[in-house]
Amino acid sequence: MNENVYYILYLLPVLAIFVWHFKRHHRIESHSTKTLHSATEAGMLEPATLHPEIDPKICIGCRSCVAACPEQYAHPVLGMIKNKARLIGPTDCIGHGACKAVCPVGAITLVFGTATRGIDIPVVKPNFETAVPGVFIAGELGGMGLIKNAVEQGRQAMDSIKSVVKSSHSNDLDVLIVGAGPAGITSTLSAKESKLKSATIEQDSLGGTVAHFPRRKLVMTQPANLPIVGKVKFKEVSKEKLIEFWQEVETKTGIQINYGEYVQSVKPAPGGGHIVTTTKGSYNTRTVLLTIGRRGTPRQLGVPGEESTKVAYRLIDPEQYRNMHVLVVGGGDSALEAATTIAEEPGTTVTLSYRSGAFSRAKPKNRDKVDIAAQSGRLSVLMNSNVKEIFPDKVAIQTESELLEVKNEAIIVSAGGILPTKFLQEIGIDVVTKWGTE
Ligand SMILES: Cc1cc2nc3c(=O)[nH]c(=O)nc-3n(C[C@H](O)[C@H](O)[C@H](O)COP(=O)(O)OP(=O)(O)OC[C@H]3O[C@@H](n4cnc5c(N)ncnc54)[C@H](O)[C@@H]3O)c2cc1C
Ligand code: SF4
């Protein structure tokens, strides 16, 4: 065989690898650019929690951070643009921090907030107590996201509270726990294990933010040690299985959680301790543990009839709306997802009402789903409209041109949440605003 043929035989595989590498690189770069462009268009550039800030001068483009992000399977969070890592899905970042851990050159810093949007973080001492003696904070409210951190902090904060309530006092309770997410459940178990006089209240349902994850979301967590229960081995589990597990824990351990009760204020009690006022009454307690997370309280419409039991502030099971006339209020992703999934149920009539003229805050994927459902007649969309009054069998909606009366049996309001900053400041807790800092 001629020498050139040998060269060609050797070069072909090298060329094939080069072409494969070039195409893959091009695909990743173009996908990342498109994702960042969509996020920019939808105004979704502000991460809600701890997130990576990548220094392009240090980044060597090795892509380790992209591969390490546990959320990447569901949403592109990190991507590559011009050979540098970029946060391309900022609002999908939940602060795992796995990217920082793998970066070989230290190009990543984990920060709160951005230069344009500050994030309020309460000031908490190492024992989880705030500037207000006897008021403690654990879990995501303190700034540190993730289930494993919430569980660990819930346990540690209760250890600190145990040492405070050792000395005798005249309050009815040793501790009132507010919120039943991962931190609140763990601290409730710990209080029961230590035989403290405690109560736990929750404005919504068991599981906290986890209960609001999209259906079948894969939850990434780490094995944890729960008081009374012992070692829990979950690493990857569906949202539904995790909630089921906590419901079993609640039943088997006999912990008591008062649902549908919302804390309104925390004031000093005359003889020491605190008076906590809720929507259902008040508690006289030595200490308070706030495990209320950072999602806040659902924003209400503030219209007559809203107290009706047919009004909900999130979608739990679309099937429950089968054969019903449903109104969804809001223009963000949760509202659009609720409206389109309910519209898929047989016999359902869905109206989506939004006060603005465009769904500019929602992902293009959800806007497309709304267009498809509207074209097929399964969904009526009322832009620039406001709910005026809720009646048992109908709802009055003001559009630009008329006051409509729409037949109605159920309403889901997805109008965002009121963040707890004001509530914390009223208690006297110091809050600092972080603008892209650690
Ligand atoms: C979309 C998404 C995906 C995520 N995926 C993961 C994941 O895969 N793995 C992971 O580890 N973490 C994940 N996280 C983060 C994780 O959910 C949170 O870090 C964790 O739930 C925080 O727990 P927490 O107990 O501190 O607060 P939360 O879970 O937020 O619970 C707070 C509770 O307090 C209640 N509450 C609030 N205010 C009041 C009040 N005034 N009165 C009474 N009750 C009140 C709320 O209703 C809520 O139930 C994700 C977050 C989001 C948004
Ligand atoms: S791991 Fe570090 S160096 Fe590698 S792409 Fe990510 S930020 Fe850049």
Side-chain angles (χ1 to χ4, degrees):
M1 240 193 273
N2 163 324
E3 221 177 54
N4 287 340
V5 176
Y6 281 117
Y7 281 134
I8 291 168
L9 280 179
Y10 279 117
L11 275 175
L12 266 180
V14 175
L15 196 67
I17 292 170
F18 178 77
V19 170
W20 174 81
H21 183 79
F22 178 78
K23 280 190 160 174
R24 184 164 174 263
H25 174 81
H26 182 72
R27 207 177 50 239
I28 294 171
E29 288 263 337
S30 118
H31 180 251
S32 301
T33 309
K34 272 192 203 146
T35 308
L36 182 59
H37 181 71
S38 304
T40 311
E41 256 201 330
M44 297 173 81
L45 293 177
E46 306 287 359
T49 185
L50 196 66
H51 61 276
E53 191 174 79
I54 302 153
D55 187 338
K57 288 196 223 79
I58 304 177
C59 174
I60 52 168
C62 69
R63 282 210 297 263
S64 308
C65 53
V66 182
C69 175
E71 291 303 300
Q72 206 76 4
Y73 80 97
H75 323 269
V77 174
L78 285 163
M80 300 300 296
I81 296 180
K82 295 191 180 142
N83 288 321
K84 304 284 176 186
R86 282 284 288 272
L87 189 59
I88 55 169
T91 54
D92 287 320
C93 178
I94 55 165
H96 283 283
C99 49
K100 178 180 162 73
V102 296
C103 178
V105 291
I108 298 181
T109 316
L110 296 177
V111 299
F112 288 106
T114 63
T116 47
R117 184 172 156 209
I119 286 204
D120 296 335
I121 308 278
V123 180
V124 179
K125 296 180 203 161
N127 72 345
F128 300 94
E129 197 170 24
T130 64
V132 182
V135 178
F136 293 73
I137 282 178
E140 189 152 15
L141 176 65
M144 196 56 96
L146 301 183
I147 295 163
K148 63 166 186 182
N149 294 329
V151 165
E152 187 51 28
Q153 290 195 1
R155 208 176 45 71
Q156 290 180 13
M158 196 47 73
D159 286 344
S160 301
I161 289 172
K162 278 177 220 164
S163 59
V164 170
V165 299
K166 258 192 334 223
S167 48
S168 68
H169 60 81
S170 57
N171 303 92
D172 299 337
L173 293 177
D174 291 319
V175 57
L176 179 78
I177 299 155
V178 187
I185 299 169
T186 312
S187 43
T188 304
L189 288 166
S190 175
K192 184 170 174 87
E193 188 179 55
S194 307
K195 300 193 171 52
L196 296 190
K197 283 181 281 166
S198 77
T200 302
I201 60 175
E202 164 59 55
Q203 65 183 6
D204 195 345
S205 59
L206 187 73
T209 298
V210 177
H212 294 253
F213 288 178
R215 271 198 292 172
R216 289 190 281 280
K217 178 190 186 300
L218 197 58
V219 183
M220 308 289 188
T221 186
Q222 277 178 21
N225 235 332
L226 286 183
I228 308 178
V229 179
K231 188 124 182 151
V232 182
K233 294 189 184 138
F234 291 134
K235 275 192 175 163
E236 282 182 17
V237 59
S238 73
K239 160 240 172 132
E240 286 77 10
K241 277 256 167 320
L242 189 55
I243 295 287
E244 225 172 81
F245 164 75
W246 278 328
Q247 283 165 343
E248 262 175 45
V249 166
E250 184 185 22
T251 317
K252 284 192 182 150
T253 60
I255 52 172
Q256 288 287 325
I257 297 169
N258 304 336
Y259 294 106
E261 189 167 357
Y262 164 60
V263 168
Q264 290 166 317
S265 68
V266 178
K267 301 235 160 83
H274 307 274
I275 302 289
V276 179
T277 309
T278 74
T279 39
K280 294 196 174 165
S282 69
Y283 297 82
N284 180 324
T285 178
R286 192 69 193 167
T287 62
V288 181
L289 175 56
L290 298 173
T291 54
I292 59 176
R294 305 189 59 80
R295 266 184 330 107
T297 301
R299 196 180 296 281
Q300 300 197 335
L301 298 174
V303 299
E306 191 168 6
E307 63 291 345
S308 160
T309 51
K310 72 174 179 175
V311 182
Y313 293 89
R314 72 179 161 112
L315 173 65
I316 298 178
D317 180 9
E319 278 181 27
Q320 78 183 90
Y321 298 105
R322 208 165 263 188
N323 296 317
M324 288 171 90
H325 294 276
V326 185
L327 170 71
V328 177
V329 184
D333 281 311
S334 334
L336 270 50
E337 275 167 23
T340 49
T341 42
I342 298 172
E344 282 166 18
E345 292 300 321
T348 311
T349 316
V350 186
T351 305
L352 175 61
S353 160
Y354 186 39
R355 62 189 171 147
S356 300
F359 295 120
S360 48
R361 282 173 34 240
K363 290 186 183 129
K365 173 182 89 176
N366 287 326
R367 297 200 297 243
D368 292 346
K369 281 189 188 166
V370 166
D371 288 344
I372 294 167
Q375 277 159 19
S376 71
R378 286 179 282 121
L379 177 69
S380 326
V381 182
L382 299 175
M383 303 306 285
N384 295 310
S385 68
N386 286 292
V387 175
K388 286 288 163 198
E389 188 161 358
I390 295 165
F391 302 95
D393 58 346
K394 63 183 179 186
V395 57
I397 305 175
Q398 180 72 58
T399 67
E400 278 177 309
S401 54
E402 59 185 325
L403 184 66
L404 283 179
E405 288 202 340
V406 181
K407 203 166 172 189
N408 177 264
E409 288 151 308
I411 300 176
I412 296 168
V413 181
S414 288
I418 302 167
L419 291 174
T421 304
K422 191 164 166 262
F423 167 70
L424 298 176
Q425 285 168 335
E426 278 166 3
I427 298 173
I429 295 170
D430 296 330
V431 176
V432 289
T433 307
K434 305 241 179 183
W435 301 92
T437 44
E438 287 176 77

